[in-house]
Amino acid sequence: MKNTTTKQDVNTIRRLDYFNQFNLVEPFLAFTGFTLFACLFLACFFYLNYYYQVLVFHGFTWFGATNEGLGLLDEGGDHCDIYDGKWVWDDNYPLYESPDCPFIDGGFRCLENGRPDSFYTKWRWQPKACNLPRFNATKMLEKLRNRRIAFIGDSIGRNQWESLLCMLSSAIPNKDSIYEVNGNPITKHKGFLVFRFAHYNCTVEYYRAPFLVALGSAPSGAPKGVKMALRLDRMDRTQQQWVGADVMVFNTGHWWSHDKTTKRGCFFQEGTQVNLKMDIGTAFRKSIETLLDFVHSKVNTSKTQVYFRTYAPQHFRGGTWSNGGHCHHIKLPDFGPFPDKTEEHVEMVRDVLSKHPGRVQVIETMNVTPMTYQRQDGHTSLYHFGRGNETEPPGEDCSHWCLPGVPDSWNELLYALFLKWVSHQSSTPT
């Protein structure tokens, strides 16, 4: 075959041989690899530095820090303010996983509903002056044996009730031994629900009473525009069902607003008279007065422990529930200082209690408002209903809480207070 290589081809080959002797591919790959490594290193540095700035310089601690020494249940622990503290990261949390708990409404199952992060499940409340007892589900169930614990309040109270069901059921391998006594399903049930732990013969109960006082139809002869009336001098109609419980946890607050009352034609009644001019703040104070009177006169507080859990703040940004408010972008607690003024509902409760010093002892106030104010990261937000669920209205929920999450911390406080009460009961002569 005739050789057709031209002089130009020979020159081209010589040039390629010249460049090949420098082997440029390997240095290029090395340079590219070094550049990518350097960029990754810098990104990690700035990421970790950001977290260090946030967590350390704002007084927060990683790795489940505790105070050395005094425990709440130790001698001298009575003087510890368990509501004065900080949130610390704890890799041992959460206390349960939502797929393992059949007692959670779908709207509180944030991770199962598509929330991409789980940071909010890792924070534990740490009082400054003492340590809380580590939650022990078996121990609490033993202390609740043959007893009843009832949550009375709004849907945030229900949030806390479902949290406790999950915390306690984590010690029960056979979940079928925990059942609703009337066979009612837990999801979207609007009345009352009573779950029995068969092995311990105890019940964990929820009664829907968003105002605590009775809500009913307008009395005859009521002024025009009155569609409903809140009986400020009478407790909710479910009272006969929960009045005999051994532990009562009350809450209210979220329904005491213009949108939930007067805007809907719901006004305030005392005796037979409906007062169209009474403001919501005054009505709220009167409802707390009624609660105090009821507990003082109808509840045997030598055998029953009564708690009032304070308002849990909402964290809507850029609006409210119905007009574009949001919070889904928030992934960390608010590490700043507590607000100068606590939530107005707390101030109102304190004001009522201060006027009845002789009756304060019948109700223990669980002031979770400041600690909860910092947990802007824990709401159900976009994840209050499952993917593909078209039955729920659009919008974010920055009022209720993911489970596991913030309500578990309220129940850890409740657990500590309950153990203190049981210890006191056992040491008091009968």
Side-chain angles (χ1 to χ4, degrees), residues 56 76 89 123 147-148 154 207 254 306 345 376 387:
V56 175
W89 182 274
W123 298 101
R147 284 175 162 155
R148 300 170 56 198
D154 57 26
Y207 297 89
H254 284 267
V306 183
H345 289 98
Q376 58 184 1
R387 304 176 204 180

Side-chain angles (χ1 to χ4, degrees), residues 107-110 156 159 254 312-315 372-373 375-380 397-407 410:
F108 302 149
R109 296 179 179 272
C110 299
I156 310 299
N159 224 170
H254 284 267
Q314 301 173 340
H315 292 94
T372 308
Y373 174 85
R375 293 306 309 275
Q376 58 184 1
D377 58 314
H379 292 289
T380 54
D397 183 351
C398 304
S399 179
H400 295 91
W401 304 89
C402 298
L403 293 179
V406 174
W410 305 340

